[in-house]
Amino acid sequence: MIRVKDVSVSFGSRILFEDVNLSFDEGNRYGLIGANGSGKSTFMKILVGDFEPSTGSVSVAPGTRVGVLRQDHYTYDQYTVLDTVLMGYPELWQVMQERNRLYSLPEMTEEQGMQVGELENAYAEMDGYSAEYFAAELLEGLGIPVEKHGDLMSSMIGGFKLRVLLAQVLFGRPDVLLLDEPTNHLDLDTIRWLENFLLGHKGTMVIISHDRHFLNTVCTHMVDVDYKQISMFSGNYDYFVAASTLAREQLLAENAKNQQKIAELREFVARFSANKSKAKQATSRQKQIEKIEIQEVRPSSRVAPYIKFTSKQPLGKQVVSVEGVSKSFGDLHVLKDVNLEIMSGEKVAVIGANGVGKTTLLNVMMGELTPDMGSVSWGQSALPTYFAQDHNEVIDKDTTVYDWLTSFDEEVDQQTIRSILGRMLFSKDEVHKSTNVLSGGESARLVIGKMLLLQGNVLVLDEPTNHLDLESIDALTKALAEFDGAVIFVSHARQMVADVANRIIELTPSGLTDFRGTYDEYLAKRDALQA
């Protein structure tokens, strides 16, 4: 359906990728992956038609309807939420508008009456009679209740606007879906709904996502941007990791074998080329050397941080006690009479719909917010360290990466600071990088570096994966799973919640659900109760 021919992109002397030839075929679901900065967003823009490659072309089969998830927050501010979704099928929207215009006329001419008949046929063929029902179903699936469907888009906050735009592109049922980070701003239950919807959609998809579980569940192929190339693999993300690792190991092993063979042949040539009786053999060996190919091994753009959390002191039995905590913001009651007791060895995932109070709960626990009622008390041995969701409020401006990290322990030696920063991928002169120009991923890794330095025995994290690439998320997930202290975290990354948590606390508008067990066990129990 989409053909990519001889596509290359370079910026001056920097090559993102070159000579890309790919075919995106009907019915397949492709995960577009790669390290931050590798060029995957640029490649998606080329597919969308928003960016012109340095060389090559992209062609779409005639008659193919393409749907693109765009994050233009303000384009539809004057329209209602429901109308914004309906506009995702432009041909139907045009028919609806003209049909409504004609029906609103006080009287119709014969010609207008015939036009209405034609419009009714087109309306029926495009499932117009069920359109509003389907649009409402999409919005509810994405967590936007019926009472909001008639509101203007201008009244929706950012994360919910993006949900409406996602509903819009899904509503059009296009032949090809191009989705850049569709799970952003979605809670775990909404991501599950989206996975199921996409699995039932018949069209071709190209999806950028940093959610490993999402890629494993939805995708049939991986399109990997790395080594200045773009390569396609059959299978989901886990299969890609295994297959690509094996392929690279085989390439390195083959090169090593060939280099050893060349060394042996060169030694023979050097020893016997001047020997008349063996000169013919030496010439033959030289020809063999010329035929042996050493394949180019390009450096990978993937680099994972090395994360291993250690504690300054052992953690006692009690971690934190939350008693009767309530918190409101004006008329908005976020937390109401919350009671929690978290003990040593527990790794607690706090989950729930967006806006239900997860961040507020963590901020109250960490003393960033004062509750209206109730109290929080930490165990005597507890040393909590906090990864806050908003890095802009945490990382000082007009300083350097090195100076900011040093400010948390001015007695620490330079080697320790440089070691931590190196593990967080700030190497050599990058330690003097200004905090004003850090990317989201760099900021996240720097805050993790602060946690490594402080060596707390309780790790509290609010959406730590938001700006991290897959390699960094995997490294953080592994480190949290192996940590011998307590962990309290909010995350919409299903794989992290599944791999780390041994206790689930779900916040809902009607109260708190406390489940001791893994996330998969929690889902199984909840699904059984709802069946």
Side-chain angles (χ1 to χ4, degrees), residues 323-337 360 364 369-375:
E323 297 180 5
V325 163
S326 297
K327 182 65 182 176
S328 299
F329 299 94
D331 294 332
L332 181 63
H333 303 289
V334 180
L335 301 175
K336 186 177 180 182
D337 195 26
T360 300
V364 167
L369 282 175
T370 303
D372 300 332
M373 294 180 63
S375 63

Side-chain angles (χ1 to χ4, degrees), residues 192-261:
R192 285 183 79 200
W193 177 89
L194 180 61
E195 288 172 352
N196 290 327
F197 181 89
L198 293 178
L199 287 172
H201 183 72
K202 304 296 184 190
T204 302
M205 300 173 210
V206 183
I207 304 168
I208 294 177
S209 178
H210 290 154
D211 186 324
R212 183 179 189 138
H213 185 274
F214 184 81
L215 292 171
N216 278 332
T217 302
V218 172
C219 296
T220 61
H221 295 72
M222 289 293 123
V223 178
D224 181 43
V225 185
D226 200 3
Y227 311 112
K228 299 180 183 178
Q229 299 172 328
I230 302 182
S231 308
M232 189 177 288
F233 296 78
S234 293
N236 64 15
Y237 181 76
D238 283 350
Y239 182 83
F240 153 76
V241 171
S244 60
T245 301
L246 178 61
R248 189 163 178 83
E249 286 173 353
Q250 288 175 337
L251 173 62
L252 293 172
E254 183 69 19
N255 276 357
K257 179 181 172 184
N258 286 339
Q259 284 167 342
Q260 177 64 29
K261 182 71 173 174

Side-chain angles (χ1 to χ4, degrees), residues 442-462:
E442 288 171 329
S443 296
R445 295 198 307 272
L446 184 56
V447 176
I448 294 170
K450 182 198 78 171
M451 299 178 84
L452 294 173
L453 175 67
L454 295 178
Q455 294 183 294
N457 51 24
V458 184
L459 306 179
V460 184
L461 305 98
D462 188 9

